[in-house]
Amino acid sequence: MPYHVETFIARIDPIDPDPLPMALAGQVILDGGLVAFPTETVYGLGANALDAAAVGRIFEVKERPANDPVIVHIGELDQMGDVTSEWTQTAKQLAEKFWPGPLTLVVRRGATIPDNVTAGQTTVAVRIPDHPVAQSLIRKAGVPIAAPSANRFSRPSPTNAMHVLADLQGRVDVVLNGGSTRVGVESTIVDLSREVPTVLRPGGISLEELQSVLPQIAYRPRHITDDAVAPAPGTLAKHYSPNAEVLVYEGEREVVLKKMRETAEAYLQQGQRVGILAQDKDVNAFAELTAQIVLLGTTPDEIATHLFAGIRSLDTSDVDVMLVRAPEQTGLGLAVYDRLSRAAEGRIIRV
Ligand code: TXA
Ligand code: MG
């Protein structure tokens, strides 16, 4: 690894960030360094979005392919001029309704944004995050901040500072530890550069909420690079991948739970270590199994909040296989379903 640094970890109050460490972190960004910080979705790995060398470092430390563009984070609508040359009626409408919040808009790129931010595309992805630490960092730095999720490429996104350190200690200058993130899955990405606004990645703003503003919105998440002009190159099949094999089951609840239990028993009999990501209401189906069980909660929102931490914790306990029941694809359940199907490299077991 060519880029090795001493990682400085600062504990920050997530509701009322202390201005002094925030000012120092802002200066690190201005000096071309990397700062990992909490947003309402997941932790981001931030660099000055107007500094091509600093952005280049993001790709280096994440081991991220250069054809996968990053999201630019701004603090307020007035900063939009730094990012895009064209601010359409639809963009304004969505921004007014959902910003600050977990919605990313793909718009025409402005002249000051370096090529490596957008992977050379004519569009740029932008959002205003809804987290006091993220907002304070952007304000202190005084520049837009380019930030992908603060994990190594193809690993699950980090929802707390420990996850960031597990992947990036010694590679990032500062980690702002503001506790666990609220939403737990990344922002929804909407491409406004097409004729019909199109969701490229489901996330923290549900499809239903978007449809209430834009009834004609299209849903076209990309899982596999089967498209010559893939609009979201980061959305490959192998993503969010733990070391263990992930088995996602879909179908009628009782049938799925029975199948999961039988499968777990079969693996255990072969001496394999089994992990189960379980909705709280399903946990009795796995009673007396010597499997590692992680509880995800009950509602789609709760499951989204706990998903990545659950995958990481089972991975840390070195399971050979992870079993999970697919949630309903409504609300944030759609984003959870998407992340699970990618972790399983597209294979969903229908029973
Ligand atoms: O919630 C989030 O969005 C988090 C936090 C840190 O803000 N960020 C995040 O970034 O998830 P990342 O890099 O892990 O995912 C960004 C996605 C990638 O799949 C990338 O391909 C897509 O955004 N993207 C970025 N610029 C784009 C563009 N101009 N056109 C289409 N897709 C774009
Ligand atoms: Mg990511």
Side-chain angles (χ1 to χ4, degrees):
M1 184 68 216
Y3 186 76
H4 188 274
V5 294
E6 200 69 50
T7 298
F8 184 80
I9 305 159
R11 173 95 227 172
I12 305 289
D13 183 335
I15 294 159
D16 184 19
D18 185 345
L20 184 60
M22 291 310 304
L24 294 173
Q27 191 58 48
V28 170
I29 293 279
L30 279 180
D31 291 342
L34 299 182
V35 176
F37 61 97
T39 78
E40 78 281 30
T41 57
V42 301
Y43 273 70
L45 176 62
N48 179 354
L50 306 179
D51 177 346
V55 172
R57 211 163 278 150
I58 290 178
F59 287 87
E60 196 181 338
V61 307
K62 274 191 63 118
E63 298 168 37
R64 179 180 176 109
N67 69 352
D68 191 359
V70 297
I71 297 172
V72 175
H73 297 70
I74 57 173
E76 51 196 312
L77 283 175
D78 285 352
Q79 254 177 319
M80 227 29 231
D82 291 345
V83 176
T84 178
S85 47
E86 190 183 66
W87 197 218
T88 63
Q89 210 43 50
T90 310
K92 273 187 202 139
Q93 201 185 353
L94 290 176
E96 254 163 46
K97 171 106 179 152
F98 297 110
W99 283 356
L103 178 69
T104 294
L105 300 178
V106 173
V107 295
R108 294 260 148 252
R109 160 191 178 181
T112 51
I113 297 294
D115 263 351
N116 57 355
V117 170
T118 68
Q121 302 190 68
T122 54
T123 56
V124 61
V126 58
R127 80 180 189 100
I128 300 184
D130 184 18
H131 193 293
V133 175
Q135 292 198 347
S136 166
L137 183 66
I138 298 163
R139 235 182 357 258
K140 296 289 186 196
V143 291
I145 293 184
S149 50
N151 52 283
R152 285 204 206 181
F153 184 67
S154 97
R155 298 265 304 139
S157 292
T159 57
N160 66 41
M162 294 305 113
H163 300 159
V164 176
L165 290 170
D167 282 14
L168 298 176
Q169 182 141 37
R171 298 181 176 211
V172 49
D173 297 290
V174 178
V175 176
L176 299 174
N177 179 359
S180 290
T181 60
R182 172 172 59 84
V183 179
V185 290
E186 305 87 341
S187 61
T188 302
I189 301 179
V190 176
D191 188 349
L192 295 178
S193 72
R194 307 167 167 223
E195 208 161 316
V196 179
T198 303
V199 174
L200 303 180
R201 177 178 76 181
I205 296 291
S206 70
L207 191 57
E208 295 88 338
E209 285 173 279
L210 287 168
Q211 282 165 336
S212 75
V213 182
L214 289 180
Q216 78 280 25
I217 198 163
Y219 180 67
R220 207 155 291 136
R222 296 299 156 114
H223 288 182
I224 299 159
T225 47
D226 56 358
D227 192 330
V229 281
T235 52
L236 338 159
K238 181 152 174 70
H239 225 87
Y240 310 104
S241 301
N243 302 315
E245 186 179 5
V246 180
L247 301 179
V248 184
Y249 292 85
E250 187 175 26
E252 208 248 303
R253 176 169 173 259
E254 292 305 320
V255 184
V256 164
L257 291 175
K258 185 161 172 283
K259 180 75 184 166
M260 285 172 71
R261 187 180 172 99
E262 286 165 6
T263 308
E265 280 166 348
Y267 274 101
L268 289 166
Q269 246 153 41
Q270 293 165 27
Q272 306 257 49
R273 274 185 299 266
V274 174
I276 298 174
L277 294 163
Q279 295 183 32
D280 290 10
K281 61 171 184 263
D282 292 346
V283 76
N284 287 338
F286 310 114
E288 284 148 47
L289 279 183
T290 53
Q292 294 265 13
I293 297 182
V294 167
L295 292 180
L296 295 175
T298 305
T299 65
D301 288 23
E302 287 166 0
I303 297 169
T305 303
H306 300 123
L307 180 71
F308 288 139
I311 292 176
R312 277 185 182 258
S313 102
L314 287 182
D315 233 6
T316 307
S317 34
D318 240 5
V319 299
D320 299 296
V321 63
M322 278 180 212
L323 278 59
V324 56
R325 181 165 81 84
E328 297 286 328
Q329 295 180 59
T330 55
L332 291 207
L334 188 63
V336 172
Y337 187 96
D338 170 85
R339 305 310 187 265
L340 284 174
S341 79
R342 293 197 224 182
E345 293 178 52
R347 293 185 307 267
I348 305 266
I349 302 157
R350 296 193 172 81
V351 295

